[in-house]
Amino acid sequence: MPTPSLASLPIRRLTLRDLAACADLSEDRGWPREEHKWGFLLTAGKGYGIDDPDGGLVSACVVTEYGPQERPSLAAIGMVLVAARHARQGVGRRLTRHVVSSMGTTPLTLHATPNGRPLYEELGFKVTGRAEMVYGRFTPSGPQPTVATRAATAEDLAVILRFDEQAFGTDRTHIVARLPAFADQLRVAEEDGRIIGYAAAWPNMDTHVVGPLIARDTSVAQALIASLAARTDRPLRTDIDVRHTELLAWAKERGLASVAFNSVMSYGITELPGDWSRRFAPVTVAAG
């Protein structure tokens, strides 16, 4: 149980002014600082945190909502962190419970590490899927993808948004519209002048994270990853739905090794909306 002093500390909304404190909290737990990602999540979503009277944050998390602003159809919880000096005192449970309560009847989703999964199960989340993180330097080999790709333009945004909503199952304009500024690359795949997939690669420390990756089929996803890899000298990292076995095997044959597995968990729904067969990787596991 949390100590009385911790239990009495108020939970408040975080803003971009808390960016450095959030990054400090990541570093405190042995994570990369990830200031670029924290900035994206704090502007696209809602941050919640507990201030430490001695300075910094006791705990923090981010909620990213999707669908109509006045009545979200889905929300993702991510970046749930507790300072090491306050670990195992119920702080993370209290903060997560607060967020779940504040979202009312909105269905929730999150990616849980093996260590975090018991807490979320205790709060009523159910495992509905699995994602595999792969990382490494992409080395082209074998037959090259034949699907045409190119850099996305501003004129593509409306089509990308429609394609994305069909795959994701709800509107996430506020995420997709931020990708040109957030990512180093945003590319589309085309067939007969029609967009059949898109993907971004955004900087995270010394890597490029591939996400989101939305594609008509595996061959399109392969072409998008290969085209992103060809335009960076950094290692790639991405989190692929384990049901996409063909894409995972293809990526591993080209230098991306398995790093970890996360459980995809849901609250208030039995499965995520949209078409999983076209949803290959999230923009980040922190945003669903």
Side-chain angles (χ1 to χ4, degrees):
M1 294 294 291
T3 63
S5 57
L6 283 177
S8 65
L9 295 174
I11 296 171
R12 68 170 177 88
R13 284 282 302 275
L14 302 176
T15 71
L16 277 178
R17 291 190 295 273
D18 300 297
L19 179 59
C22 290
D24 289 345
L25 189 58
S26 291
E27 196 169 51
D28 174 74
R29 295 317 304 256
W31 291 17
R33 291 184 62 82
E34 299 187 307
E35 290 174 327
H36 185 60
K37 182 170 78 173
W38 272 113
F40 178 79
L41 293 169
L42 289 171
T43 53
K46 298 176 180 177
Y48 294 87
I50 300 173
D51 289 312
D52 189 328
D54 295 326
L57 291 169
V58 171
S59 183
C61 72
V62 176
V63 179
T64 309
E65 298 175 350
Y66 300 104
Q69 186 173 1
E70 65 282 359
R71 190 172 182 177
S73 54
L74 181 69
I77 300 174
M79 305 300 282
V80 181
L81 283 168
V82 178
R85 61 193 178 279
H86 299 300
R88 301 188 181 280
Q89 298 181 56
V91 182
R93 179 182 294 102
R94 178 185 168 218
L95 182 59
T96 307
R97 195 184 299 277
H98 172 84
V99 170
V100 171
S101 176
S102 70
M103 294 307 300
T105 59
T106 301
L108 305 174
T109 184
L110 55 81
H111 283 66
T113 64
N115 287 337
R117 177 175 162 177
L119 165 62
Y120 302 122
E121 288 179 329
E122 179 185 324
L123 295 175
F125 284 82
K126 307 292 185 184
V127 174
T128 54
R130 206 162 176 240
E132 182 174 1
M133 180 192 293
V134 292
Y135 165 87
R137 292 196 176 276
F138 183 90
T139 304
S141 64
Q144 299 303 300
T146 58
V147 177
T149 70
R150 61 171 174 80
T153 68
E155 289 71 28
D156 296 321
L157 182 59
V159 178
I160 290 173
L161 286 170
R162 286 196 298 272
F163 188 83
D164 183 84
E165 184 170 356
Q166 291 169 0
F168 193 74
T170 188
D171 178 69
R172 56 174 178 173
T173 297
H174 62 307
I175 293 292
V176 177
R178 284 180 165 87
L179 290 177
F182 176 64
D184 285 345
Q185 296 187 60
L186 180 61
R187 298 186 65 80
V188 296
E190 282 188 318
E191 182 180 79
D192 299 325
R194 182 170 57 92
I195 289 177
I196 55 174
Y198 85 97
W202 51 273
N204 187 264
M205 312 309 289
D206 63 345
T207 71
H208 267 128
V209 177
V210 175
L213 175 55
I214 305 292
R216 183 187 64 188
D217 54 40
T218 300
S219 65
V220 177
Q222 291 171 347
L224 285 164
I225 291 176
S227 68
L228 293 169
R231 291 163 177 82
T232 178
D233 58 0
R234 300 187 187 191
L236 298 184
R237 196 184 88 212
T238 190
D239 297 86
I240 298 175
D241 186 318
V242 296
R243 290 173 289 189
H244 292 296
T245 55
E246 184 181 352
L247 181 64
L248 280 165
W250 175 87
K252 291 172 184 177
E253 290 169 358
R254 286 155 181 80
L256 303 189
S258 180
V259 175
F261 289 90
N262 285 327
S263 297
V264 180
M265 306 186 76
S266 300
Y267 180 96
I269 47 174
T270 56
E271 61 181 353
L272 293 176
D275 181 358
W276 75 266
S277 70
R278 288 187 282 175
R279 194 173 56 237
F280 288 83
V283 59
T284 165
V285 295

